[in-house]
PDB file of all heavy atoms in Angstrom:
ATOM      1  N   PRO A   1     -13.892 -17.434  -4.064  1.00  0.00           N
ATOM      2  CA  PRO A   1     -13.304 -16.273  -4.801  1.00  0.00           C
ATOM      3  C   PRO A   1     -11.745 -16.290  -4.758  1.00  0.00           C
ATOM      4  O   PRO A   1     -11.136 -15.827  -5.791  1.00  0.00           O
ATOM      5  CB  PRO A   1     -13.880 -15.029  -4.150  1.00  0.00           C
ATOM      6  CG  PRO A   1     -15.222 -15.551  -3.587  1.00  0.00           C
ATOM      7  CD  PRO A   1     -14.950 -16.959  -3.209  1.00  0.00           C
ATOM      8  N   VAL A   2     -11.199 -16.805  -3.709  1.00  0.00           N
ATOM      9  CA  VAL A   2      -9.736 -16.737  -3.671  1.00  0.00           C
ATOM     10  C   VAL A   2      -9.107 -17.742  -4.743  1.00  0.00           C
ATOM     11  O   VAL A   2      -8.035 -17.522  -5.209  1.00  0.00           O
ATOM     12  CB  VAL A   2      -9.243 -17.152  -2.235  1.00  0.00           C
ATOM     13  CG1 VAL A   2      -9.370 -18.613  -1.973  1.00  0.00           C
ATOM     14  CG2 VAL A   2      -7.860 -16.640  -1.953  1.00  0.00           C
ATOM     15  N   ASP A   3      -9.865 -18.622  -5.212  1.00  0.00           N
ATOM     16  CA  ASP A   3      -9.445 -19.622  -6.226  1.00  0.00           C
ATOM     17  C   ASP A   3      -9.648 -19.101  -7.683  1.00  0.00           C
ATOM     18  O   ASP A   3      -9.116 -19.547  -8.545  1.00  0.00           O
ATOM     19  CB  ASP A   3     -10.043 -20.974  -6.077  1.00  0.00           C
ATOM     20  CG  ASP A   3      -9.768 -21.578  -4.711  1.00  0.00           C
ATOM     21  OD1 ASP A   3      -8.693 -21.409  -4.212  1.00  0.00           O
ATOM     22  OD2 ASP A   3     -10.731 -22.246  -4.180  1.00  0.00           O
ATOM     23  N   VAL A   4     -10.657 -18.216  -7.758  1.00  0.00           N
ATOM     24  CA  VAL A   4     -11.183 -17.745  -9.055  1.00  0.00           C
ATOM     25  C   VAL A   4     -10.091 -17.121  -9.887  1.00  0.00           C
ATOM     26  O   VAL A   4     -10.023 -17.374 -11.102  1.00  0.00           O
ATOM     27  CB  VAL A   4     -12.404 -16.866  -8.961  1.00  0.00           C
ATOM     28  CG1 VAL A   4     -12.832 -16.269 -10.214  1.00  0.00           C
ATOM     29  CG2 VAL A   4     -13.559 -17.650  -8.331  1.00  0.00           C
ATOM     30  N   LEU A   5      -9.261 -16.305  -9.352  1.00  0.00           N
ATOM     31  CA  LEU A   5      -8.243 -15.585 -10.084  1.00  0.00           C
ATOM     32  C   LEU A   5      -7.354 -16.581 -10.848  1.00  0.00           C
ATOM     33  O   LEU A   5      -7.044 -16.440 -12.046  1.00  0.00           O
ATOM     34  CB  LEU A   5      -7.434 -14.701  -9.210  1.00  0.00           C
ATOM     35  CG  LEU A   5      -6.388 -13.789  -9.884  1.00  0.00           C
ATOM     36  CD1 LEU A   5      -7.038 -12.901 -10.880  1.00  0.00           C
ATOM     37  CD2 LEU A   5      -5.662 -12.984  -8.908  1.00  0.00           C
ATOM     38  N   GLY A   6      -6.894 -17.645 -10.110  1.00  0.00           N
ATOM     39  CA  GLY A   6      -6.081 -18.649 -10.802  1.00  0.00           C
ATOM     40  C   GLY A   6      -6.739 -19.399 -11.873  1.00  0.00           C
ATOM     41  O   GLY A   6      -6.212 -19.696 -12.903  1.00  0.00           O
ATOM     42  N   LEU A   7      -8.103 -19.725 -11.647  1.00  0.00           N
ATOM     43  CA  LEU A   7      -8.816 -20.392 -12.687  1.00  0.00           C
ATOM     44  C   LEU A   7      -9.040 -19.574 -13.917  1.00  0.00           C
ATOM     45  O   LEU A   7      -8.996 -20.055 -15.037  1.00  0.00           O
ATOM     46  CB  LEU A   7     -10.212 -20.850 -12.045  1.00  0.00           C
ATOM     47  CG  LEU A   7     -10.114 -21.861 -10.951  1.00  0.00           C
ATOM     48  CD1 LEU A   7     -11.492 -22.057 -10.280  1.00  0.00           C
ATOM     49  CD2 LEU A   7      -9.652 -23.206 -11.535  1.00  0.00           C
ATOM     50  N   VAL A   8      -9.370 -18.296 -13.698  1.00  0.00           N
ATOM     51  CA  VAL A   8      -9.478 -17.359 -14.794  1.00  0.00           C
ATOM     52  C   VAL A   8      -8.216 -17.207 -15.654  1.00  0.00           C
ATOM     53  O   VAL A   8      -8.140 -17.296 -16.874  1.00  0.00           O
ATOM     54  CB  VAL A   8     -10.089 -16.038 -14.407  1.00  0.00           C
ATOM     55  CG1 VAL A   8     -10.025 -15.010 -15.521  1.00  0.00           C
ATOM     56  CG2 VAL A   8     -11.466 -16.171 -13.847  1.00  0.00           C
ATOM     57  N   ARG A   9      -7.092 -17.138 -14.904  1.00  0.00           N
ATOM     58  CA  ARG A   9      -5.775 -16.974 -15.637  1.00  0.00           C
ATOM     59  C   ARG A   9      -5.433 -18.272 -16.305  1.00  0.00           C
ATOM     60  O   ARG A   9      -4.788 -18.151 -17.386  1.00  0.00           O
ATOM     61  CB  ARG A   9      -4.743 -16.638 -14.565  1.00  0.00           C
ATOM     62  CG  ARG A   9      -4.896 -15.257 -14.018  1.00  0.00           C
ATOM     63  CD  ARG A   9      -3.855 -14.872 -13.014  1.00  0.00           C
ATOM     64  NE  ARG A   9      -2.629 -14.548 -13.629  1.00  0.00           N
ATOM     65  CZ  ARG A   9      -1.415 -14.431 -13.159  1.00  0.00           C
ATOM     66  NH1 ARG A   9      -1.250 -14.692 -11.888  1.00  0.00           N
ATOM     67  NH2 ARG A   9      -0.432 -14.054 -13.908  1.00  0.00           N
ATOM     68  N   ALA A  10      -5.867 -19.339 -15.953  1.00  0.00           N
ATOM     69  CA  ALA A  10      -5.594 -20.615 -16.574  1.00  0.00           C
ATOM     70  C   ALA A  10      -6.594 -20.890 -17.694  1.00  0.00           C
ATOM     71  O   ALA A  10      -6.391 -21.786 -18.466  1.00  0.00           O
ATOM     72  CB  ALA A  10      -5.694 -21.768 -15.547  1.00  0.00           C
ATOM     73  N   GLY A  11      -7.546 -20.065 -17.826  1.00  0.00           N
ATOM     74  CA  GLY A  11      -8.582 -20.210 -18.906  1.00  0.00           C
ATOM     75  C   GLY A  11      -9.678 -21.224 -18.635  1.00  0.00           C
ATOM     76  O   GLY A  11     -10.448 -21.547 -19.502  1.00  0.00           O
ATOM     77  N   SER A  12      -9.767 -21.628 -17.371  1.00  0.00           N
ATOM     78  CA  SER A  12     -10.822 -22.582 -17.009  1.00  0.00           C
ATOM     79  C   SER A  12     -12.186 -21.993 -16.787  1.00  0.00           C
ATOM     80  O   SER A  12     -13.198 -22.729 -16.782  1.00  0.00           O
ATOM     81  CB  SER A  12     -10.363 -23.305 -15.689  1.00  0.00           C
ATOM     82  OG  SER A  12      -9.117 -23.930 -15.899  1.00  0.00           O
ATOM     83  N   LEU A  13     -12.247 -20.676 -16.687  1.00  0.00           N
ATOM     84  CA  LEU A  13     -13.561 -20.062 -16.422  1.00  0.00           C
ATOM     85  C   LEU A  13     -13.782 -18.923 -17.386  1.00  0.00           C
ATOM     86  O   LEU A  13     -13.746 -17.772 -17.025  1.00  0.00           O
ATOM     87  CB  LEU A  13     -13.603 -19.474 -14.962  1.00  0.00           C
ATOM     88  CG  LEU A  13     -13.775 -20.500 -13.797  1.00  0.00           C
ATOM     89  CD1 LEU A  13     -13.761 -19.711 -12.529  1.00  0.00           C
ATOM     90  CD2 LEU A  13     -15.039 -21.210 -13.897  1.00  0.00           C
ATOM     91  N   PRO A  14     -14.059 -19.217 -18.621  1.00  0.00           N
ATOM     92  CA  PRO A  14     -14.217 -18.217 -19.604  1.00  0.00           C
ATOM     93  C   PRO A  14     -15.564 -17.414 -19.355  1.00  0.00           C
ATOM     94  O   PRO A  14     -15.707 -16.277 -19.858  1.00  0.00           O
ATOM     95  CB  PRO A  14     -14.307 -18.939 -21.004  1.00  0.00           C
ATOM     96  CG  PRO A  14     -14.671 -20.370 -20.608  1.00  0.00           C
ATOM     97  CD  PRO A  14     -14.157 -20.554 -19.279  1.00  0.00           C
ATOM     98  N   SER A  15     -16.444 -17.948 -18.616  1.00  0.00           N
ATOM     99  CA  SER A  15     -17.785 -17.275 -18.347  1.00  0.00           C
ATOM    100  C   SER A  15     -17.675 -16.120 -17.374  1.00  0.00           C
ATOM    101  O   SER A  15     -18.507 -15.347 -17.235  1.00  0.00           O
ATOM    102  CB  SER A  15     -18.784 -18.278 -17.905  1.00  0.00           C
ATOM    103  OG  SER A  15     -18.435 -18.819 -16.726  1.00  0.00           O
ATOM    104  N   VAL A  16     -16.543 -16.035 -16.641  1.00  0.00           N
ATOM    105  CA  VAL A  16     -16.362 -15.002 -15.663  1.00  0.00           C
ATOM    106  C   VAL A  16     -15.536 -13.795 -16.245  1.00  0.00           C
ATOM    107  O   VAL A  16     -14.530 -14.033 -16.790  1.00  0.00           O
ATOM    108  CB  VAL A  16     -15.609 -15.480 -14.396  1.00  0.00           C
ATOM    109  CG1 VAL A  16     -15.451 -14.430 -13.373  1.00  0.00           C
ATOM    110  CG2 VAL A  16     -16.322 -16.717 -13.798  1.00  0.00           C
ATOM    111  N   SER A  17     -16.257 -12.630 -16.238  1.00  0.00           N
ATOM    112  CA  SER A  17     -15.612 -11.506 -16.884  1.00  0.00           C
ATOM    113  C   SER A  17     -14.498 -10.965 -16.002  1.00  0.00           C
ATOM    114  O   SER A  17     -14.358 -11.186 -14.806  1.00  0.00           O
ATOM    115  CB  SER A  17     -16.731 -10.419 -17.089  1.00  0.00           C
ATOM    116  OG  SER A  17     -17.006  -9.799 -15.843  1.00  0.00           O
ATOM    117  N   THR A  18     -13.736 -10.001 -16.615  1.00  0.00           N
ATOM    118  CA  THR A  18     -12.640  -9.324 -15.910  1.00  0.00           C
ATOM    119  C   THR A  18     -13.146  -8.433 -14.803  1.00  0.00           C
ATOM    120  O   THR A  18     -12.582  -8.408 -13.820  1.00  0.00           O
ATOM    121  CB  THR A  18     -11.793  -8.502 -16.981  1.00  0.00           C
ATOM    122  OG1 THR A  18     -11.412  -9.373 -18.041  1.00  0.00           O
ATOM    123  CG2 THR A  18     -10.580  -7.879 -16.281  1.00  0.00           C
ATOM    124  N   ALA A  19     -14.287  -7.778 -15.065  1.00  0.00           N
ATOM    125  CA  ALA A  19     -14.814  -6.904 -14.056  1.00  0.00           C
ATOM    126  C   ALA A  19     -15.347  -7.729 -12.821  1.00  0.00           C
ATOM    127  O   ALA A  19     -15.139  -7.299 -11.687  1.00  0.00           O
ATOM    128  CB  ALA A  19     -16.065  -6.186 -14.671  1.00  0.00           C
ATOM    129  N   GLU A  20     -15.870  -8.871 -13.029  1.00  0.00           N
ATOM    130  CA  GLU A  20     -16.312  -9.780 -11.970  1.00  0.00           C
ATOM    131  C   GLU A  20     -15.071 -10.221 -11.097  1.00  0.00           C
ATOM    132  O   GLU A  20     -15.087 -10.313  -9.917  1.00  0.00           O
ATOM    133  CB  GLU A  20     -17.026 -10.953 -12.490  1.00  0.00           C
ATOM    134  CG  GLU A  20     -18.416 -10.543 -13.059  1.00  0.00           C
ATOM    135  CD  GLU A  20     -19.094 -11.666 -13.839  1.00  0.00           C
ATOM    136  OE1 GLU A  20     -18.368 -12.639 -14.194  1.00  0.00           O
ATOM    137  OE2 GLU A  20     -20.312 -11.572 -14.000  1.00  0.00           O
ATOM    138  N   VAL A  21     -13.974 -10.575 -11.809  1.00  0.00           N
ATOM    139  CA  VAL A  21     -12.755 -10.972 -11.143  1.00  0.00           C
ATOM    140  C   VAL A  21     -12.189  -9.823 -10.318  1.00  0.00           C
ATOM    141  O   VAL A  21     -11.778 -10.011  -9.140  1.00  0.00           O
ATOM    142  CB  VAL A  21     -11.660 -11.493 -12.159  1.00  0.00           C
ATOM    143  CG1 VAL A  21     -10.397 -11.713 -11.480  1.00  0.00           C
ATOM    144  CG2 VAL A  21     -12.206 -12.783 -12.788  1.00  0.00           C
ATOM    145  N   ALA A  22     -12.207  -8.638 -10.897  1.00  0.00           N
ATOM    146  CA  ALA A  22     -11.731  -7.452 -10.158  1.00  0.00           C
ATOM    147  C   ALA A  22     -12.536  -7.159  -8.933  1.00  0.00           C
ATOM    148  O   ALA A  22     -12.038  -6.917  -7.846  1.00  0.00           O
ATOM    149  CB  ALA A  22     -11.788  -6.218 -11.063  1.00  0.00           C
ATOM    150  N   ALA A  23     -13.845  -7.344  -9.087  1.00  0.00           N
ATOM    151  CA  ALA A  23     -14.768  -7.201  -7.875  1.00  0.00           C
ATOM    152  C   ALA A  23     -14.508  -8.259  -6.824  1.00  0.00           C
ATOM    153  O   ALA A  23     -14.500  -7.974  -5.628  1.00  0.00           O
ATOM    154  CB  ALA A  23     -16.226  -7.203  -8.302  1.00  0.00           C
ATOM    155  N   LEU A  24     -14.285  -9.514  -7.264  1.00  0.00           N
ATOM    156  CA  LEU A  24     -14.047 -10.623  -6.339  1.00  0.00           C
ATOM    157  C   LEU A  24     -12.727 -10.380  -5.606  1.00  0.00           C
ATOM    158  O   LEU A  24     -12.616 -10.739  -4.418  1.00  0.00           O
ATOM    159  CB  LEU A  24     -13.960 -11.932  -7.123  1.00  0.00           C
ATOM    160  CG  LEU A  24     -15.325 -12.514  -7.496  1.00  0.00           C
ATOM    161  CD1 LEU A  24     -15.112 -13.679  -8.444  1.00  0.00           C
ATOM    162  CD2 LEU A  24     -16.078 -12.966  -6.253  1.00  0.00           C
ATOM    163  N   VAL A  25     -11.784  -9.799  -6.255  1.00  0.00           N
ATOM    164  CA  VAL A  25     -10.463  -9.483  -5.632  1.00  0.00           C
ATOM    165  C   VAL A  25     -10.592  -8.238  -4.763  1.00  0.00           C
ATOM    166  O   VAL A  25      -9.981  -8.222  -3.644  1.00  0.00           O
ATOM    167  CB  VAL A  25      -9.393  -9.351  -6.690  1.00  0.00           C
ATOM    168  CG1 VAL A  25      -8.095  -8.788  -6.093  1.00  0.00           C
ATOM    169  CG2 VAL A  25      -9.144 -10.581  -7.398  1.00  0.00           C
ATOM    170  N   ALA A  26     -11.386  -7.233  -5.204  1.00  0.00           N
ATOM    171  CA  ALA A  26     -11.507  -5.969  -4.436  1.00  0.00           C
ATOM    172  C   ALA A  26     -12.286  -6.197  -3.127  1.00  0.00           C
ATOM    173  O   ALA A  26     -11.902  -5.486  -2.126  1.00  0.00           O
ATOM    174  CB  ALA A  26     -12.247  -4.980  -5.342  1.00  0.00           C
ATOM    175  N   LEU A  27     -13.228  -7.031  -3.036  1.00  0.00           N
ATOM    176  CA  LEU A  27     -14.020  -7.144  -1.860  1.00  0.00           C
ATOM    177  C   LEU A  27     -13.275  -7.550  -0.588  1.00  0.00           C
ATOM    178  O   LEU A  27     -13.322  -6.863   0.441  1.00  0.00           O
ATOM    179  CB  LEU A  27     -15.186  -8.114  -2.090  1.00  0.00           C
ATOM    180  CG  LEU A  27     -16.345  -8.008  -1.085  1.00  0.00           C
ATOM    181  CD1 LEU A  27     -16.834  -6.570  -1.003  1.00  0.00           C
ATOM    182  CD2 LEU A  27     -17.463  -8.948  -1.510  1.00  0.00           C
ATOM    183  N   PRO A  28     -12.384  -8.535  -0.628  1.00  0.00           N
ATOM    184  CA  PRO A  28     -11.584  -8.780   0.597  1.00  0.00           C
ATOM    185  C   PRO A  28     -10.552  -7.762   0.863  1.00  0.00           C
ATOM    186  O   PRO A  28     -10.194  -7.517   2.031  1.00  0.00           O
ATOM    187  CB  PRO A  28     -10.888 -10.146   0.293  1.00  0.00           C
ATOM    188  CG  PRO A  28     -11.035 -10.439  -1.218  1.00  0.00           C
ATOM    189  CD  PRO A  28     -12.234  -9.615  -1.638  1.00  0.00           C
ATOM    190  N   VAL A  29     -10.077  -7.038  -0.185  1.00  0.00           N
ATOM    191  CA  VAL A  29      -9.134  -5.948   0.034  1.00  0.00           C
ATOM    192  C   VAL A  29      -9.908  -4.827   0.728  1.00  0.00           C
ATOM    193  O   VAL A  29      -9.315  -4.231   1.807  1.00  0.00           O
ATOM    194  CB  VAL A  29      -8.539  -5.457  -1.260  1.00  0.00           C
ATOM    195  CG1 VAL A  29      -7.704  -4.203  -1.080  1.00  0.00           C
ATOM    196  CG2 VAL A  29      -7.702  -6.527  -1.907  1.00  0.00           C
ATOM    197  N   LEU A  30     -11.093  -4.552   0.317  1.00  0.00           N
ATOM    198  CA  LEU A  30     -11.874  -3.547   1.121  1.00  0.00           C
ATOM    199  C   LEU A  30     -12.158  -3.933   2.513  1.00  0.00           C
ATOM    200  O   LEU A  30     -12.110  -3.101   3.426  1.00  0.00           O
ATOM    201  CB  LEU A  30     -13.173  -3.231   0.309  1.00  0.00           C
ATOM    202  CG  LEU A  30     -13.099  -2.538  -0.940  1.00  0.00           C
ATOM    203  CD1 LEU A  30     -14.386  -2.582  -1.723  1.00  0.00           C
ATOM    204  CD2 LEU A  30     -12.671  -1.114  -0.768  1.00  0.00           C
TER     205      LEU A  30
END
């Protein structure tokens, strides 16, 4: 998940939604 944000921003993972990225980022913050 720590790599996903960069991959989504680069356009490499179009199948991952913004909500999923937000949840992936939120979980370690929580």
